Amino acid sequence: MSLSLRSVLLTGLALLPFTIAQSDLVGTWTTKSRSVFTGPGFYDPVTEKMFEPTLPGIAYSFTADGHYEEAYYRAISNPQNPTCPQGIIQWQHGTFQKLSNGSLILSPFGVDGRQLESTPCLSQSIYTRYNQSELFTGYLVYSDPYHNIPRLDLFQFNGAPMSPMYLAYNPPQMLPTQTLNPTASATSAGKASSTNTANAKRSAEDFGGFQEPLNKNVLMPYKKPYNADKIWWYGIGLVGLGSVGYFCF
């Protein structure tokens, strides 16, 4: 075997574990609410609109070539007025790296991220840019023993686990993986001044539209088991009624 061929094979073998380890992340993952997904149904970069899901949740999407997208919808309680909670919607995308120690570094495209903070009962909202790099100390991908579907556990920078996420789409449902709103400078209103009209004039339909998620009916609400005490007392009551009917009639 020639030296050059041997070098190529050794290089390929050295890269193989990294490729396999990263490929298990590929797909769109969402939390148990099944209401938050990445893609055009969450954020439209053309009209600068963010669409509020029905329930809070988190979604992450990863590609095999090192791109990611995330969508957050959080409800924040209002102690002064419990009937008027706040909501925060966050979206960003960019590239990610997996380090040799198994940690993940997510680097967003700074001009593309968006955040919407709203108080619906007061008809107030604040729309701004959002740019937050992230470090995950590790992750696990395995088959959830209860739902029997692929599950993703991400561990935050301090080692604390995030809410578990479950595979919803594969291949992932995402917006284009390049910068969507390239700008020379950001405006105070948080909206992009596009320098590339070809990218800015896309519509949501150009992003491939929507598809129903895989296993959309698998994560059903947990049903409490029947109360054995109630069943026992119900049986005793029936026996009592039967005895009364036997002696009276």
Side-chain angles (χ1 to χ4, degrees):
M1 182 183 294
S2 65
L3 181 60
S4 60
L5 180 57
R6 182 180 303 172
S7 300
V8 171
L9 290 176
L10 290 176
T11 302
L13 290 174
L15 293 176
L16 185 58
F18 176 83
T19 303
I20 293 176
Q22 184 166 299
S23 65
D24 56 3
L25 281 170
V26 174
T28 295
W29 307 82
T30 186
T31 49
K32 195 173 181 180
S33 67
R34 310 186 309 279
S35 295
V36 179
F37 302 98
T38 56
F42 189 83
Y43 168 59
D44 183 354
V46 179
T47 61
E48 290 283 352
K49 288 184 178 180
M50 305 188 81
F51 306 101
E52 183 176 356
T54 55
L55 295 171
I58 302 171
Y60 277 84
S61 288
F62 299 94
T63 66
D65 61 351
H67 290 89
Y68 83 98
E69 183 176 328
E70 66 180 70
Y72 276 67
Y73 176 41
R74 305 172 183 175
I76 303 176
S77 61
N78 185 350
Q80 296 180 343
N81 187 359
T83 62
C84 185
Q86 291 181 318
I88 294 182
I89 302 176
Q90 296 169 330
W91 179 92
Q92 61 180 1
H93 70 159
T95 60
F96 76 96
Q97 292 178 302
K98 180 180 177 181
L99 305 184
S100 59
N101 62 0
S103 60
L104 300 174
I105 296 179
L106 278 58
S107 304
F109 300 140
V111 297
D112 279 352
R114 296 292 185 268
Q115 174 177 284
L116 178 64
E117 183 178 352
S118 64
T119 308
C121 60
L122 300 179
S123 299
Q124 295 178 350
S125 62
I126 302 174
Y127 186 62
T128 61
R129 290 181 181 276
Y130 178 70
N131 179 12
Q132 180 64 58
S133 299
E134 294 175 276
L135 168 65
F136 295 111
T137 58
Y139 72 93
L140 292 173
V141 176
Y142 58 100
S143 179
D144 183 83
Y146 183 81
H147 302 294
N148 197 30
I149 59 175
R151 167 174 165 170
L152 171 64
D153 292 344
L154 290 173
F155 298 91
Q156 302 176 71
F157 69 95
N158 58 0
M162 294 183 61
S163 297
M165 288 176 277
Y166 304 89
L167 185 64
Y169 296 94
N170 193 3
Q173 176 174 272
M174 304 170 64
L175 293 172
T177 55
Q178 71 267 23
T179 301
L180 301 176
N181 295 295
T183 62
S185 62
T187 65
S188 60
K191 292 189 177 181
S193 300
S194 176
T195 59
N196 188 332
T197 56
N199 286 335
K201 290 184 178 180
R202 291 192 186 93
S203 65
E205 288 77 10
D206 295 330
F207 301 142
F210 249 153
Q211 294 180 356
E212 286 192 338
L214 302 172
N215 305 311
K216 64 184 180 66
N217 294 320
V218 172
L219 301 179
M220 301 302 293
Y222 176 71
K223 294 182 179 180
K224 294 183 178 180
Y226 293 107
N227 191 315
D229 290 337
K230 290 183 178 181
I231 295 177
W232 187 82
W233 283 110
Y234 181 73
I236 293 297
L238 291 178
V239 171
L241 289 175
S243 300
V244 171
Y246 176 80
F247 288 107
C248 294
F249 301 99

